[in-house]
Amino acid sequence: MHIKFPTDFWWGAATSGPQSEGRFNKKHANMFDHWYDIEPEAFYDQVGPNLASNFYNDYKEDIRLMKEIGLNSVRTSIQWTRLIDDFETATLNEKNVAFYNDVIDEFIKNGIKPVINLHHFDLPVELYHKYGGWESKHVVELFVKFAEQCFKLFSDRVTDWFTFNEPMVVVEGEYLHQFHYPNLVDGKKAVQVAYNIQLASSKAIACFKKVNQNEAGRIGIILNLTPAYPASQNAADLAAAEFADLWLNQLYMNASTLGAFPAKLTERLAEDGVLWETSEEELEIIKNNPIDYLGVNFYHPHRVKAPEVSPNSLAVDWLPEKYFEEYQMPGRRMNVDKGWEIYPKAIYDIAVNIRDNYNNIEWFVSENGMGVSREERYLNKQGMIEDDYRIQFIQEHLYWLHKGMEEGSNCFGYHLWTPIDCWSWKNAYRNRYGFISTDIRTQIKTIKKSGYWFKNVADTSEIELTEKLVDQLNK
Ligand code: BGP
């Protein structure tokens, strides 16, 4: 079976500054840099962000490889801790301004659209120690100053901007589930942080409208958006799924696209006495600055059930998990290396949801991918990793994405996580996601089978699926 996508479809991949550049010539540390400095054993094999995939030194060669595999667009992020010398005044580090200018120009020279994100889990750590990071509205203002510098410096050439990558992961990682420094468990703070990040995004969008230099310029947010599938149709499981969807998806989706938080969520948070501090003026800013377009990161579905323990038995005052619990569906298909369920049809559900509930806003798959350990297992005699599992994973997701588009969803692109194997936070280099492998000892980069395969997809905007695979997908 042949599937055809629009000829101007974005075929690309995503990375981030902190995961690819390395800490070279960086005056400041972000949250992860600092965490690694104080507790290297928290990271897989004690590998930290110092070298990452050496993009700071290798960007020319890396971009050449990205071109070789046909990518027409690539997302990365500008590190706040690299670009800015003084956070209060947002004075620039000129050497690093030159670095980002070169990177952007190099992408453009190679026919690759640079897609620029401003925050990828990389808050400057001193803003956490001084002000409580995203708990503080002063930090919101400082972020907007940083954003303004980026727009002023680069929006003559960069047309595609995003404010935040996966804000909910910051909330969960830092304040709920202890996988980002400072590893707190504090529901009340989590709620305020969730709000403050939305406010920061909306304020950055307001600023973009004032200083953007390019008529084609647009700005959005990147959300890890996933339907919350209930474990059963029982009322209790349905209620759990409803709350999970409000908290995990609708909070940012509604505020960023429709200009207001879902009332059902704010009412519940108010009843529970944990609603964020806000003001009429701030809510006006959120209302008046919706995104132009959306990025959706999708890896795995959420399956939820009613909590088994009484909400009152929670050890801390309030947690969103009061209302839902993760459900491990028997027989689910797993990527065992990463521990994530594989469920490509969710992309179709996301497409339909955006079409029906969010004014069919333009969107793209900003991350999707499969992290696999010890990929050397799949090296062939010529030294190429034969990652057929990744090719199939992409095919399956593109199949469902295409179906959603056929039914009218306004999707304009697909980005894999990630172009070149990069550093993955706590997991460091355990799971590899790239079209191109990185040897972390030598930093030699080699195109995998999926990279060559993807070049053909990008060149033709078509994919070929076997009947067997299509049958499986429709079972
Ligand atoms: C997303 C992040 C990416 C990337 C990816 C893979 O949530 O936006 O930065 O890391 O997940 O996940 P991991 O690195 O945890 O394997």
Side-chain angles (χ1 to χ4, degrees), residues 194-431:
Y195 171 82
N196 287 355
I197 295 182
Q198 176 59 51
L199 182 64
S201 176
S202 302
K203 285 194 164 188
I205 293 173
C207 168
F208 179 75
K209 288 184 192 158
K210 284 195 212 118
V211 299
N212 166 42
Q213 304 160 56
N214 200 315
E215 265 186 32
R218 19 180 218 173
I219 188 160
I221 193 166
I222 288 172
L223 302 178
N224 49 320
L225 197 72
T226 305
Y229 298 105
S232 78
Q233 294 302 307
N234 293 340
D237 286 340
L238 290 174
E242 188 192 26
F243 186 81
D245 194 55
L246 284 166
W247 169 255
L248 297 170
N249 299 317
Q250 293 182 38
L251 189 161
Y252 287 115
M253 232 352 228
N254 289 26
S256 284
T257 62
L258 308 175
F261 296 101
K264 274 192 173 170
L265 176 67
T266 50
E267 281 159 16
R268 181 78 63 89
L269 297 176
E271 273 162 33
D272 287 356
V274 292
L275 187 60
W276 43 64
E277 267 176 39
T278 180
S279 71
E280 281 304 313
E281 191 202 341
E282 288 171 359
L283 293 176
E284 271 300 291
I285 292 170
I286 292 170
K287 183 170 159 207
N288 295 329
N289 292 286
I291 49 173
D292 297 323
Y293 64 165
L294 171 74
V296 175
N297 291 357
F298 173 70
Y299 290 91
H300 61 92
H302 287 296
R303 299 197 186 272
V304 293
K305 61 180 182 182
E308 271 169 19
V309 293
S310 148
N312 301 328
S313 68
L314 284 174
V316 287
D317 292 344
W318 186 89
L319 290 178
E321 285 75 15
K322 214 176 138 158
Y323 297 113
F324 62 92
E325 216 172 72
E326 197 201 328
Y327 169 59
Q328 307 207 332
M329 187 177 74
R332 68 205 196 286
R333 191 175 151 207
M334 292 293 291
N335 167 6
V336 285
D337 288 344
K338 176 69 188 167
W340 280 345
E341 182 182 342
I342 299 178
Y343 184 63
K345 189 166 184 240
I347 286 239
Y348 169 82
D349 295 338
I350 290 167
V352 169
N353 180 31
I354 294 172
R355 182 195 68 194
D356 294 347
N357 299 314
Y358 296 99
N359 302 326
N360 206 7
I361 189 170
E362 277 193 273
W363 67 286
F364 80 119
V365 177
S366 40
E367 283 181 32
N368 176 231
M370 191 176 180
V372 173
S373 305
R374 296 177 289 113
E375 277 200 312
E376 320 76 75
R377 284 179 281 176
Y378 306 106
L379 265 179
N380 68 14
K381 290 205 179 81
Q382 288 70 44
M384 180 181 76
I385 291 170
E386 296 196 348
D387 52 346
D388 293 282
Y389 44 83
R390 180 165 293 111
I391 295 173
Q392 184 179 332
F393 181 96
I394 299 170
Q395 286 175 325
E396 292 181 5
H397 286 81
L398 286 175
Y399 172 83
W400 286 114
L401 177 63
H402 187 261
K403 221 175 186 50
M405 291 168 67
E406 271 183 333
E407 293 177 23
S409 191
N410 226 337
C411 177
F412 62 85
Y414 176 90
H415 278 189
L416 186 83
W417 184 268
T418 186
I420 299 175
D421 286 346
C422 65
W423 182 76
S424 268
W425 317 112
K426 276 187 85 173
N427 275 328
Y429 272 97
R430 194 183 71 178
N431 299 318

